[in-house]
């Protein structure tokens, strides 16, 4: 089965299937379960089904209402909210990520903000930003770069 590229530059939707590259520059909805090699969100996107991809890059706003698996790199420079579980190999957060369920990655690097409503499990966790993890943070290696500044007027 051939894999196709899908570009949404205005308003559109994507149905179930296997794709090579999905790019959303406008407003797009992924209505069912999909598999893709690359997903780029530069506008506003949402998924209603499960997502499996090699690479995910969020520069705009992205909402996932089900589980997502990222086999290589997930990069969040904008805002990403996941209502399901999110798992994969590498996760880099420079923007803001909110996970309603669990996060499970080999490596998590945060220089923005991460909010996890349940557990966060990873091999390596690096924080040079802001984190709110309601459950347990479990990692083989944890590196925290903490700076607190109090300004009294």
């Amino acid at each position: 089965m051939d894999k196709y590229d899908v570009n949404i530059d205005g308003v559109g939707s994507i149905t179930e299937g296997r794709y090579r590259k999905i790019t959303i520059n406008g407003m797009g909805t992924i209505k069912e379960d999909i598999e893709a090699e690359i997903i780029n969100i530069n506008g506003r996107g949402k998924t209603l089904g499960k997502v499996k991809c090699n690479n995910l890059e969020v520069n705009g706003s992205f909402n996932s209402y089900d589980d997502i698996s990222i086999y290589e790199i997930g990069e969040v420079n904008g805002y990403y909210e996941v209502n399901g579980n999110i798992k994969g190999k590498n996760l880099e957060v420079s923007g803001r990520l909110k996970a309603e369920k669990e996060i499970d990655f080999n490596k998590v690097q945060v220089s923005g903000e991460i909010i996890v409503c349940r557990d966060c499990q990873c091999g390596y966790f690096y924080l040079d930003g802001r984190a709110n993890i309601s459950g347990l943070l479990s990692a083989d290696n944890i590196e925290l770069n903490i700076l607190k500044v109090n300004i009294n007027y």
Side-chain angles (χ1 to χ4, degrees), residues 7-147:
N7 294 310
I8 298 176
D9 291 321
V11 177
S13 62
I14 300 169
T15 59
E16 181 177 18
R18 291 182 166 176
Y19 299 92
R20 191 182 74 78
K21 183 175 183 181
I22 296 173
T23 303
I24 298 175
N25 293 316
M27 289 178 52
T29 302
I30 300 170
K31 293 185 172 185
E32 301 169 78
D33 296 353
I34 62 133
E35 292 182 22
E37 292 176 24
I38 300 167
I39 300 175
N40 289 326
I41 309 295
N42 299 311
R44 185 175 181 150
K46 69 178 175 180
T47 64
L48 304 177
K50 292 182 182 354
V51 173
K52 295 178 182 178
C53 63
N54 289 339
N55 295 294
L56 171 70
E57 184 175 357
V58 178
N59 295 310
S61 174
F62 193 43
N63 289 34
S64 294
Y65 292 96
D66 208 330
D67 297 342
I68 184 161
S69 298
I70 303 168
Y71 300 121
E72 292 298 324
I73 298 173
E75 207 176 324
V76 180
N77 301 310
Y79 176 73
Y80 184 27
E81 184 170 343
V82 185
N83 290 342
N85 295 310
I86 179 171
K87 66 180 180 176
K89 188 174 180 181
N90 295 315
L91 178 64
E92 300 171 3
V93 180
S94 298
R96 184 172 195 234
L97 171 69
K98 181 177 181 185
E100 292 291 334
K101 292 190 179 175
E102 295 185 359
I103 288 182
D104 187 353
F105 277 85
N106 292 346
K107 183 178 181 181
V108 175
Q109 292 179 272
V110 180
S111 59
E113 180 179 17
I114 189 168
I115 300 166
V116 184
C117 296
R118 293 196 186 164
D119 296 342
C120 179
Q121 181 175 324
C122 48
Y124 174 77
F125 184 84
Y126 172 81
L127 176 66
D128 186 16
R130 186 174 177 177
N132 183 345
I133 301 171
S134 298
L136 297 174
L137 171 59
S138 174
D140 295 331
N141 295 302
I142 298 175
E143 187 174 340
L144 304 174
N145 193 5
I146 300 173
L147 175 67

